[in-house]
Amino acid sequence: MASKQSGRDIIPKIENIHNVKTLCENMNNYDLVLLAYENEEEHTLKEELKRIKNTKDKLRIAIIIGPEGGIEQEEVTTLEKAGAKVISLGKRILRTETVALVMTSIIMYELEQ
């Protein structure tokens, strides 16, 4: 009902916690997999969204968020090799429960989805 009231035909799906192996096995189900990583210094969310914008109407985008205290470098490397785009959200480190809302909002704004 809330999605209808807000004019949305796509409802974001929030899934339970997955291990790195499961994430890697499921990456082919998405057009873009974004991994927010506090130590990334080069690639940004904005760059990745700009790159994929206008490629097709309905994009399937997955967001990977690590636990409080950060994700291990070894896990980042594994996810990146499997196809995740490692991105920075800027200088601020956000709380785990905040990152999903922030990233979803930015994606909706930038891609008008």
Side-chain angles (χ1 to χ4, degrees):
M1 183 66 162
S3 62
K4 186 175 181 180
Q5 289 173 335
S6 63
R8 293 192 57 80
D9 61 346
I10 301 171
I11 300 171
K13 182 178 178 184
I14 299 172
E15 294 189 12
N16 289 325
I17 298 169
H18 292 288
N19 62 35
V20 172
K21 181 181 177 195
T22 303
L23 292 170
C24 291
E25 290 170 354
N26 290 299
M27 280 198 205
N28 289 334
N29 297 331
Y30 299 93
D31 299 305
L32 178 63
V33 177
L34 298 167
L35 170 59
Y37 182 48
E38 65 273 8
N39 292 327
E40 176 59 40
E41 295 180 356
E42 294 180 31
H43 305 286
T44 65
L45 175 57
K46 186 174 184 174
E47 284 175 355
E48 286 303 325
L49 295 177
K50 187 176 182 181
R51 186 183 62 76
I52 199 167
K53 191 173 185 173
N54 301 322
T55 57
K56 68 185 211 182
D57 284 341
K58 293 186 180 181
L59 296 167
R60 292 185 45 92
I61 299 173
I63 299 170
I64 301 172
I65 300 165
E68 290 289 337
I71 189 169
E72 297 292 326
Q73 178 60 52
E74 177 183 304
E75 294 172 319
V76 172
T77 301
T78 300
L79 290 163
E80 188 172 28
K81 285 180 181 176
K85 302 295 182 183
V86 182
I87 52 105
S88 169
L89 297 176
K91 296 177 185 178
R92 310 281 184 280
I93 295 180
L94 303 172
R95 294 180 57 95
T96 299
E97 64 269 15
T98 308
V99 176
L101 180 61
V102 167
M103 287 183 70
T104 303
S105 299
I106 292 169
I107 290 168
M108 286 176 13
Y109 176 80
E110 287 293 327
L111 300 181
E112 298 176 352
Q113 289 195 4

